Amino acid sequence: MVENRPFLTFVAHALLILGILVVALPIWIVLVTSSQAPEDVLTAPIPMWFGERLVDNYLAVLGRGLTRSSSGPVAPMMLNSLIMAVSIAVGKIAISILSAFAIVYFRFPGRMLAFWTIFVTLMLPVEVRILPTFEVVANLGLLNSYAGLTIPLIASATATFLFRQFFMTVPDELAEAARVDGAGPMRFFLDILLPLSRTNIAALFVILFIYGWNQYLWPLLVTTDERYYTIVMAIQRMVTAADAEPEWHFIAAVAMLAMLPPVLVVLLMQRWFVKGLVETEK
Amino acid sequence: MAEVVVESLHKSFGAVEVLKGIDLAIADGEMMVVLGPSGCGKSTLLRLVAGLETVTSGEIRIGARRVNDLEPKDRDIAMVFQNYALYPHMTVYDNMAYGLRNRRVPRPEIERRVQEAARILGLGELLRRRPRELSGGQRQRVAMGRAIVREPEVFLFDEPLSNLDAKLRVQMRHEIRQLQARLGTTGIYVTHDQVEAMTLGDRLVVMNEGRIEQVGGPLEVYERPASLFVAGFIGSPPMNCFPARLGEDRARILLDGRSLPLAGPVAAEAGAELVVGVRPEHLEPADGGPLVLAVDWVEILGADTIAHGRIGEEVRICVRLPGATSIAAGDRLPLAVPPERLHLFDPRSGRRIDEKA
């Protein structure tokens, strides 16, 4: 704030710290839990400091899996999640940027209709169309496959609108200059539009990667084969293990592992965000 | 090198007719400046020649080729845009080389042409920079460079200097003129700035509302404007225009009972209503002059002084006097006009009335 009022500064900081505590405390508890022996987790009070089994627990879930809920090792699940998240992010960006390119730079009949149809799909979350989509995927024989996991989630042009707005800020003269320079539409797209969009692409990649990584309901429906389980849905299966106490120390470790890649993506891509804000190209 | 010919060119955007029949022939190596107020269709004309818009009817030829249906890249033209339209993510070198690469010009040839253009335009140091690291004048030069390396038949300029500050504009104007003359490439230059038009063009086209008002050399357009519109558009401050009547001998005009002699009899009926035009710089203070200006406002510009005021009751005119004078509001200033400096126009058609042949 611009004014220098000690009391306001105090209140602002207090609120911020409170907010951070609300977010950070559960994560802290999970992190601490993942380092305990099983019997320590279930005895009151909840441990607030690390136990001795941090490395053991993580190695166990990554390599062996959970013993009592008969879940397999987590490492392949993380790989599945990674494949799914990256496919969804890349696929969505590819589809969106191309459809935005078509809508902004080409005049064809039903152009605005096409745009609004795409736009309307934004208003339908996966959960609404989940039964028909499941039917289609099942009929196509895509259950228990990476294609079944990713394609139905790619097929909605979430980012079309964003790319459209960005393309409309690109001066028309740039397209005209490219035409005079002998670049056809695809050359213009690849040589000029795509490089100009890279900070937008980076931002969308982060959002869509997290969206894909955190998918829960859809993988739960289309996979019955353990080879295709993703980590987020696997956590749920571990919690509801049949006639046994959930192994909370392992589950906490898995939860931490599930959180890691999105955090990494955000941290790595942050540099691009800043670059995008500082550089005013166009 | 090629001539550009435009024949009965029409262009409509929906129901709006922007160009209403343009006929124009631009000679090989000539710099033709298209001048007009905004919305007169001058940019549309240029974009039609460039191939960025499609022709509604009429014909455009570059050299001997009819180019109506050719893509811009096949017309052998190069265009310099108002906002330069440099590719922001490419270096200066790549900006200039991009068109050549798309044309599959061999790499050593690209290198040679870009280096040559950079040398001509003084961009040698900047080839590795990006457009955003350049000043306005430098960007303008890169845009020029991009046009030069193509070695086109025709240069098209779309108000290329309007984003530069005044001082730089004068300099770039000079550079563009020299460059075009040296390369001997036909040029079409669109502008709304009459100073640019006068100094750059071999010939001018003055356009208004989708039609050509006059085509001619800069001095010709200044000294013999073909219509009231041209008379008012060229010159600053604009030409003074006021109604008058042609005398019985057709060699003098009558104005509020006063009489001004003309250089000779003109091609209009005796007693006809006319519009008389006289440029502010052609009115001279003269004791006992036929026009008496009641000065009510004086602008002192240093190099000259512009006095505004009234002649008789109705007619407002202004006079440009050299140097700083001592004229003040309230003065009465008698003025004379050399007869050959009077322009006569038909009040209905707005066309110039010439001396009798």
Side-chain angles (χ1 to χ4, degrees):
Chain A
M1 243 174 280
V2 187
E3 314 128 274
N4 184 17
R5 305 259 297 273
F7 177 69
L8 282 181
T9 312
F10 172 77
V11 170
H13 278 83
L15 277 173
L16 286 173
I17 290 166
L18 191 70
I20 290 168
L21 282 179
V22 168
V23 175
L25 191 63
I27 296 175
W28 176 253
I29 292 174
V30 173
L31 182 62
V32 167
T33 308
S34 71
S35 69
Q36 305 290 336
E39 51 282 7
D40 295 334
V41 178
L42 294 171
T43 47
I46 306 174
M48 289 305 281
W49 193 247
F50 292 103
E52 283 123 34
R53 304 218 7 210
L54 186 71
V55 180
D56 293 343
N57 282 351
Y58 280 89
L59 286 179
V61 290
L62 276 172
R64 264 202 341 267
L66 275 63
T67 37
R68 265 180 265 167
S69 56
S70 68
S71 276
V74 173
M77 294 181 194
M78 288 187 76
L79 185 66
N80 287 343
S81 279
L82 189 72
I83 290 171
M84 183 175 176
V86 171
S87 307
I88 287 175
V90 172
K92 273 197 187 232
I93 288 172
I95 282 191
S96 300
I97 201 165
L98 283 171
S99 51
F101 176 57
I103 284 168
V104 175
Y105 286 96
F106 293 86
R107 257 172 265 266
F108 53 90
R111 189 165 70 120
M112 282 322 280
L113 181 75
F115 171 67
W116 285 109
T117 315
I118 291 167
F119 194 57
V120 164
T121 64
L122 287 182
M123 296 163 196
L124 291 177
V126 180
E127 289 73 16
V128 174
R129 56 182 171 87
I130 204 151
L131 281 177
T133 309
F134 181 82
E135 178 77 12
V136 169
V137 169
N139 288 342
L140 288 173
L142 293 179
L143 296 179
N144 286 320
S145 70
Y146 288 124
L149 270 176
T150 53
I151 289 172
L153 295 176
I154 289 174
S156 88
T158 320
T160 304
F161 185 71
L162 283 152
F163 280 122
R164 172 183 179 262
Q165 297 308 94
F166 170 68
F167 288 167
M168 299 212 315
T169 67
V170 175
D172 289 342
E173 280 89 346
L174 232 45
E176 288 169 354
R179 259 179 92 189
V180 173
D181 267 343
M186 283 325 281
R187 270 256 81 84
F188 168 67
F189 177 73
L190 290 173
D191 289 347
I192 296 171
L193 225 41
L194 213 54
L196 288 180
S197 313
R198 49 174 201 247
T199 46
N200 291 51
I201 291 174
L204 274 166
F205 183 83
V206 173
I207 295 167
L208 294 175
F209 180 89
I210 294 170
Y211 166 84
W213 183 271
N214 286 344
Q215 281 301 318
Y216 168 66
L217 190 56
W218 183 251
L220 204 58
L221 281 177
V222 291
T223 58
T224 47
D225 185 338
E226 202 167 316
R227 281 179 299 153
Y228 293 102
Y229 283 178
T230 65
I231 189 164
V232 175
M233 60 172 284
I235 294 172
Q236 188 270 347
R237 283 177 185 262
M238 293 168 189
V239 175
T240 57
D243 29 274
E245 282 296 334
E247 296 164 291
W248 288 113
H249 58 301
F250 284 150
I251 294 168
V254 176
M256 288 312 291
L257 287 174
M259 220 178 326
L260 209 56
V263 170
L264 276 179
V265 166
V266 170
L267 286 180
L268 289 177
M269 296 302 240
Q270 212 165 24
R271 286 175 45 230
W272 277 81
F273 279 153
V274 177
K275 219 176 151 196
L277 293 174
V278 175
E279 268 177 44
T280 45
E281 290 193 316
K282 245 184 289 177
Chain B
M1 312 302 119
E3 54 168 11
V4 178
V5 178
V6 170
E7 267 172 21
S8 59
L9 188 68
H10 290 257
K11 172 66 185 174
S12 304
F13 292 107
V16 185
E17 196 176 23
V18 183
L19 295 182
K20 301 164 184 170
I22 300 286
D23 291 281
L24 190 61
I26 301 161
D28 183 13
E30 187 179 29
M31 183 67 143
M32 181 68 96
V33 175
V34 184
L35 180 67
S38 42
C40 71
K42 57 187 191 302
S43 284
T44 308
L45 175 62
L46 193 77
R47 294 168 60 81
L48 282 166
V49 175
L52 295 171
E53 306 280 354
T54 52
V55 171
T56 305
S57 74
E59 186 167 290
I60 301 171
R61 288 196 301 274
I62 297 176
R65 280 190 310 164
R66 183 177 189 273
V67 297
N68 281 31
D69 302 317
L70 291 183
E71 270 289 299
K73 67 184 167 77
D74 302 321
R75 295 189 180 201
D76 217 352
I77 48 127
M79 190 155 172
V80 180
F81 292 87
Q82 182 173 358
N83 63 5
Y84 322 135
L86 300 178
Y87 310 121
H89 59 291
M90 294 187 192
T91 61
V92 168
Y93 184 96
D94 291 333
N95 261 287
M96 292 204 261
Y98 185 62
L100 299 178
R101 287 187 187 135
N102 285 334
R103 241 158 263 264
R104 310 203 183 287
V105 175
R107 194 176 273 266
E109 175 69 7
I110 295 180
E111 175 76 21
R112 189 190 65 74
R113 289 203 207 171
V114 173
Q115 293 296 350
E116 171 72 4
R119 195 184 54 74
I120 294 173
L121 295 162
L123 291 170
E125 306 290 301
L126 308 172
L127 284 175
R128 295 278 143 235
R129 300 251 192 110
R130 305 256 162 119
R132 83 187 117 87
E133 298 162 332
L134 304 180
S135 69
Q138 289 168 335
R139 287 182 204 188
Q140 180 59 60
R141 285 208 187 88
V142 178
M144 289 286 300
R146 194 164 63 176
I148 299 176
V149 294
R150 298 267 310 282
E151 299 177 0
E153 299 276 17
V154 184
F155 283 137
L156 305 175
F157 301 92
D158 188 4
E159 310 206 13
L161 302 183
S162 56
N163 286 354
L164 299 180
D165 61 57
K167 194 175 157 199
L168 208 50
R169 210 178 296 173
V170 174
Q171 188 193 338
M172 287 307 296
R173 205 157 71 199
H174 179 62
E175 285 183 17
I176 289 179
R177 183 67 181 132
Q178 277 194 319
L179 196 63
Q180 187 266 341
R182 185 161 82 183
L183 300 173
T185 309
T186 312
I188 306 180
Y189 189 108
V190 163
T191 181
H192 62 262
D193 180 338
Q194 46 167 310
V195 180
E196 254 174 47
M198 298 292 284
T199 51
L200 265 174
D202 292 315
R203 283 196 296 158
L204 311 187
V205 181
V206 184
M207 286 183 64
N208 184 34
E209 292 182 352
R211 289 201 172 80
I212 291 181
E213 293 273 336
Q214 186 172 9
V215 182
L219 266 186
E220 183 188 348
V221 172
Y222 174 81
E223 285 177 347
R224 293 180 58 82
S227 68
L228 265 174
F229 175 82
V230 178
F233 194 75
I234 304 275
S236 171
M239 186 184 278
N240 298 301
C241 293
F242 42 85
R245 191 175 287 280
L246 192 60
E248 287 305 316
D249 59 356
R250 300 184 191 174
R252 59 181 52 252
I253 52 168
L254 306 170
L255 174 72
D256 274 351
R258 275 176 292 261
S259 148
L260 289 176
L262 296 171
V266 296
E269 280 180 43
E273 299 276 349
L274 300 170
V275 174
V276 178
V278 55
R279 296 202 179 273
E281 53 271 40
H282 293 151
L283 288 159
E284 298 159 358
D287 288 334
L291 301 170
V292 179
L293 178 72
V295 179
D296 55 18
W297 173 35
V298 179
E299 291 176 289
I300 298 170
L301 304 175
D304 41 28
T305 302
I306 296 169
H308 300 260
R310 246 172 246 282
I311 289 178
E313 289 302 304
E314 307 256 297
V315 179
R316 285 203 64 87
I317 66 167
C318 64
V319 186
R320 178 186 227 140
L321 303 166
T325 60
S326 56
I327 294 162
D331 287 359
R332 294 182 72 79
L333 184 66
L335 296 166
V337 199
E340 68 276 12
R341 295 299 195 184
L342 286 172
H343 307 270
L344 301 182
F345 301 97
D346 184 315
R348 275 177 298 280
S349 68
R351 306 303 298 176
R352 180 183 187 85
I353 299 172
D354 278 309
E355 285 95 52
K356 216 167 186 175

